[in-house]
Amino acid sequence: MRLDVGLVVGLGSVDRGDDAVEGRRNAFRVTTLDALAAEHGNAGALVEAYAKLLAGWMGKSKFRDGCPIATTLLETVPGSAAIAEAGQQAFASWTDVLSGALIRDGASRRDAERLAHFAISAFEGALIKARVEGRADALLDVGSLLR
């Protein structure tokens, strides 16, 4: 299973009432982030390791994969409150993992949540750039700069 490929199916399934599918897909990403958080001693190392993991997955797919949740949300949210809610829940769960690591490192809850939002936004933008450019430089830059 690749990082987010199933999220497209999952978010579409939410619109049809299959919340369990979306939940499993999002759980994969959260499990990946949780595993990295447990493996790395601080939030900076977690973010850098995640960037390297994303870069590896992107390279393996020859930059065809990316974050389908972004495409799905951009194309469907205006017409589907259920998909908007599923997307909000996915982003919130990713934020929880990253902000938790930042809080463990001594950040205030407010700063940790803001930094987590920023990191997620940077990764989402870097995934798009990586696909367009056919290289992982943007992802690796996000990881090293946010470290």
Side-chain angles (χ1 to χ4, degrees), residues 3 27-37 46 50 53 57 97:
L3 176 64
F28 176 74
R29 181 137 202 215
V30 172
T31 300
T32 300
L33 287 171
D34 280 335
L36 289 172
L46 159 64
Y50 188 55
L53 190 62
W57 284 332
V97 175

Side-chain angles (χ1 to χ4, degrees), residues 3-113:
L3 176 64
D4 283 318
V5 171
L7 283 172
V8 168
V9 173
L11 288 171
S13 298
V14 168
D15 210 29
R16 294 189 315 267
D18 188 359
D19 293 334
V21 173
E22 191 281 330
R24 285 192 304 272
R25 303 305 185 223
N26 188 46
F28 176 74
R29 181 137 202 215
V30 172
T31 300
T32 300
L33 287 171
D34 280 335
L36 289 172
E39 182 180 337
H40 297 281
N42 61 60
L46 159 64
V47 168
E48 190 167 42
Y50 188 55
K52 290 176 182 176
L53 190 62
L54 289 173
W57 284 332
M58 291 290 289
K60 187 175 180 181
S61 75
K62 296 183 170 81
F63 298 92
R64 284 188 210 111
D65 290 341
C67 185
I69 186 174
T71 302
T72 300
L73 292 173
L74 288 170
E75 297 296 325
T76 60
V77 163
S80 174
I83 291 178
E85 183 178 338
Q88 290 166 6
Q89 289 173 1
F91 285 130
S93 66
W94 306 342
T95 299
D96 288 347
V97 175
L98 293 175
S99 65
L102 288 159
I103 289 167
R104 284 189 297 281
D105 287 353
S108 70
R109 178 164 303 283
R110 180 172 168 11
D111 286 347
E113 288 177 359

